[in-house]
């Protein structure tokens, strides 16, 4: 870890008041917070900004950091100041980025002041703390979401490497969170194990689009099927069903298959009219016959609107 | 597995958030537990909402009214994003 100039990170002069530091932090936090930001590397930037603020918002930590910064910028001034390094060992440096900064500059030996213990912060809390939760994005197919089922996934984190069996509930929708209690990282001491949280996301399907619990299928039809009506076979997540296309249907018409979506959702079938290509003189003649027959101008309604 | 419910104490434990704060979240309508037999019951999807609320409160230093508003806007934003994704995919399928 390199020395970080927290003032530069916040774009503030080292003489900034506590009030200015607070105001700038709030502004940058709104800009870079991963939950609200659209910036490309929001997470990393927010981490830097909050690390800087954690230190600078506290007068003691800030004083300590200022001294350290002075040392980094003018190391010669401190040549005979061995004794004063002990001051970097105060409690204020624990549990903050300052701790890591000090270590990066003076090394992990704790050679100054003879008191290394100040650095040995117990990461992740006390002795009986609960284990870390594990978060995982579970990509599933729409068929799996529709029918439910079981799935084995391999989880590999620093604390856990195992295969777990997940039950996918029938009718689950995008973004739903599944929790596996006590299967996360083991706790410390008597602390309970953490949990596993799986967030459901849908894999792209060759035919269907999901909108919450509704499913849409775009169905190509011929102009005469749409005009005259026809009963056609369509795919649903639960298998094929017959759908009656009403006579006089236009392109984009939406028909509903009730209860054929996820859970209580429906399936919608959107008609897409496809003209047959002309592959022979006879094909061409058929189109020309249509042209002769209809004195139809689909742009009439546009003319009336301008 | 999907529809676990928690009592207030369980919920605080799992979310690692102080009971007092969770009660204030409820007061501000940020969390809406159901009332079962003399006690609050939190559905499992309240958990991510609670953690998001705590990040807004702590990281952005919002008061709870601000947290409630931020959550409302974030969720509306997510819904719109999903809707746009869905419609874009649909347009693609209609074109090809």
């Amino acid at each position: 870890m390199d020395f970080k100039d927290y003032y530069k990170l916040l774009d503030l002069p080292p003489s900034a008041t506590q009030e200015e530091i607070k105001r700038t932090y709030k502004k940058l936090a709104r800009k870079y917070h991963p939950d609200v930001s659209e910036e490309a590397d929001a997470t990393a930037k927010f981490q830097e900004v909050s690390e800087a603020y954690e230190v600078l918002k506290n007068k003691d930590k800030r004083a300590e950091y200022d001294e350290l910064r002075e040392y980094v910028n003018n190391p010669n001034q401190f040549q005979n100041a061995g004794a004063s390094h002990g001051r970097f060992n105060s409690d204020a440096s624990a549990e903050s980025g300052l701790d890591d900064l000090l270590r990066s500059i003076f090394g992990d030996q704790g050679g100054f002041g003879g008191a290394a213990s100040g650095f040995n912060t117990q990461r992740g809390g006390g002795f009986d703390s609960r284990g870390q939760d594990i978060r995982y994005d579970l990509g599933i197919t729409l068929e799996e979401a529709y029918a439910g089922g079981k799935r084995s996934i391999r989880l590999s984190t620093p604390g856990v490497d195992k295969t777990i069996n997940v039950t996918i509930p029938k009718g689950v929708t995008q973004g739903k969170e599944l929790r596996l209690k006590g299967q996360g990282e083991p706790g410390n001491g008597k602390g309970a194990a953490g949990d596993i949280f799986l967030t459901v996301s849908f894999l792209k399907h060759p035919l269907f689009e999901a909108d919450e619990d509704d499913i849409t299928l775009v169905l190509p039809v011929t102009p005469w099927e749409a005009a005259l009506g026809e009963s056609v076979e369509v795919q649903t997540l639960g298998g094929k069903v017959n759908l009656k296309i009403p006579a006089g249907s236009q392109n984009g018409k939406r028909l509903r298959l009730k209860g054929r979506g996820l859970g209580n959702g429906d399936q919608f079938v959107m008609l897409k009219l496809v003209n047959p290509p002309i592959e022979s003189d006879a094909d061409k003649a058929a189109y020309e016959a249509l042209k002769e027959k209809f004195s139809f101008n689909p742009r009439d309604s546009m003319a009336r609107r301008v | 597995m999907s529809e676990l419910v928690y009592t207030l104490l369980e919920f605080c434990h799992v979310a690692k958030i102080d009971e007092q704060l969770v009660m204030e979240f409820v007061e501000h309508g940020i969390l809406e537990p159901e009332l079962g037999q003399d006690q609050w019951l939190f559905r499992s999807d309240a958990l991510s909402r609670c953690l998001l609320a705590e990040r807004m409160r702590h990281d952005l230093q919002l008061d709870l009214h601000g947290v409630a508003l931020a959550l409302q806007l974030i969720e509306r934003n997510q819904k719109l994003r999903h809707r746009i994704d869905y419609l874009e995919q649909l347009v693609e399928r209609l074109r090809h």
Side-chain angles (χ1 to χ4, degrees):
Chain A
M1 182 177 182
D2 295 327
F3 176 78
K4 285 183 192 159
D5 192 328
Y6 291 153
Y7 294 104
K8 236 181 223 165
L9 278 177
L10 299 181
D11 197 18
L12 282 170
S15 59
T17 63
Q18 292 303 119
E19 198 44 52
E20 285 170 323
I21 289 171
K22 188 171 176 182
R23 205 183 313 137
T24 305
Y25 166 74
K26 282 188 180 180
K27 200 177 98 188
L28 292 174
R30 281 197 302 273
K31 185 172 179 197
Y32 291 124
H33 197 284
D35 286 320
V36 296
S37 178
E38 309 233 298
E39 305 277 333
D41 45 358
T43 305
K45 283 215 172 102
F46 177 70
Q47 258 166 11
E48 283 187 333
V49 167
S50 58
E51 182 189 322
Y53 183 61
E54 276 303 307
V55 171
L56 298 185
K57 76 173 178 189
N58 177 305
K59 278 191 181 141
D60 292 341
K61 285 188 200 172
R62 185 179 174 188
E64 211 173 313
Y65 173 79
D66 285 348
E67 204 173 325
L68 177 66
R69 186 171 169 277
E70 194 62 27
Y71 170 82
V72 170
N73 292 341
N74 302 294
N76 297 336
Q77 264 189 313
F78 284 77
Q79 257 173 4
N80 301 317
S84 77
H85 289 167
R87 279 198 278 161
F88 293 136
N89 254 331
S90 78
D91 288 343
S93 61
E95 288 170 30
S96 72
L98 201 49
D99 196 16
D100 294 327
L101 271 189
L102 285 167
R103 196 178 315 170
S104 71
I105 290 154
F106 297 115
D108 217 356
Q109 312 305 318
F112 43 100
S117 59
F119 292 145
N120 292 331
T121 323
Q122 180 79 29
R123 299 271 159 193
F127 288 110
D128 281 346
S129 62
R130 193 171 164 274
Q132 287 287 311
D133 296 329
I134 298 173
R135 302 194 159 268
Y136 186 86
D137 267 330
L138 182 65
I140 62 171
T141 62
L142 288 176
E143 281 84 356
E144 283 176 297
Y146 178 81
K150 295 199 186 303
R151 170 84 92 79
S152 290
I153 50 173
R154 169 94 184 269
L155 281 185
S156 187
T157 71
V160 171
D161 186 0
K162 60 180 174 185
T163 302
I164 54 164
N165 292 313
V166 183
T167 304
I168 297 168
K170 206 172 161 173
V172 73
T173 51
Q174 170 98 10
K176 188 91 188 162
E177 209 162 66
L178 310 176
R179 174 177 169 232
L180 301 174
K181 198 176 171 183
Q183 299 211 41
E185 305 214 1
N188 289 320
K190 291 176 190 158
D195 301 330
I196 297 177
F197 291 93
L198 303 167
T199 306
V200 170
S201 70
F202 289 154
L203 302 171
K204 193 163 168 50
H205 194 280
L207 294 178
F208 303 113
E209 290 297 333
D211 180 25
E212 306 211 342
D213 58 358
D214 289 333
I215 296 291
T216 297
L217 170 75
V218 171
L219 184 72
V221 294
T222 60
W224 49 90
E225 283 168 338
L228 306 174
E230 182 76 87
S231 185
V232 295
E233 205 172 55
V234 296
Q235 310 261 10
T236 72
L237 286 168
K240 288 179 178 172
V241 299
N242 274 313
L243 172 74
K244 200 174 154 20
I245 297 169
S249 294
Q250 294 284 4
N251 189 37
K253 185 177 180 65
R254 227 162 63 122
L255 303 164
R256 184 160 75 152
L257 292 167
K258 208 166 158 43
R260 295 273 173 181
L262 302 172
N264 296 321
D266 303 322
Q267 174 166 323
F268 291 94
V269 175
M270 197 177 249
L271 302 184
K272 172 186 172 183
L273 266 62
V274 181
N275 295 319
I278 295 176
E279 282 167 348
S280 65
D281 288 348
D283 293 347
K284 196 174 174 202
Y287 274 111
E288 273 162 356
L290 279 175
K291 182 181 167 184
E292 291 294 310
K293 175 68 195 70
F294 290 97
S295 57
F296 172 63
N297 183 353
R299 293 171 296 283
D300 274 352
S301 62
M302 291 172 98
R304 282 200 297 273
R305 277 175 207 177
V306 284
Chain B
M1 180 173 70
S2 60
E3 283 301 336
L4 272 177
V5 289
Y6 307 91
T7 63
L8 178 61
L9 274 181
E10 288 168 343
F11 188 77
C12 294
H13 184 67
V14 174
K16 297 181 194 116
I17 289 179
D18 189 64
E19 195 177 323
Q20 183 61 36
L21 183 57
V22 171
M23 286 165 73
E24 283 178 46
F25 281 167
V26 174
E27 240 168 72
H28 282 79
I30 293 166
L31 296 174
E32 295 176 305
E34 286 151 37
L35 198 61
Q37 296 188 340
D38 299 341
Q39 62 173 345
W40 282 341
L41 291 176
F42 295 85
R43 282 160 32 125
S44 59
D45 54 5
L47 197 58
S48 54
R49 194 174 161 82
C50 182
L51 296 175
L52 176 60
E54 172 53 12
R55 289 198 296 273
M56 292 291 105
R57 192 193 66 84
H58 175 269
D59 298 347
L60 299 187
Q61 311 212 323
L62 299 178
D63 63 21
L64 294 190
H65 188 64
V67 169
L69 180 65
L71 258 63
Q72 184 187 319
L73 295 177
I74 287 172
E75 277 159 13
R76 186 178 301 166
N77 204 21
Q78 270 171 351
K79 247 188 195 161
L80 290 173
R81 196 173 289 271
H82 282 149
R83 186 99 194 127
I84 289 171
D85 284 349
Y86 161 74
L87 290 172
E88 275 181 351
Q89 292 300 327
L90 212 57
V91 168
E92 272 307 293
R93 287 188 197 273
L94 285 169
R95 284 173 57 192
H96 298 291

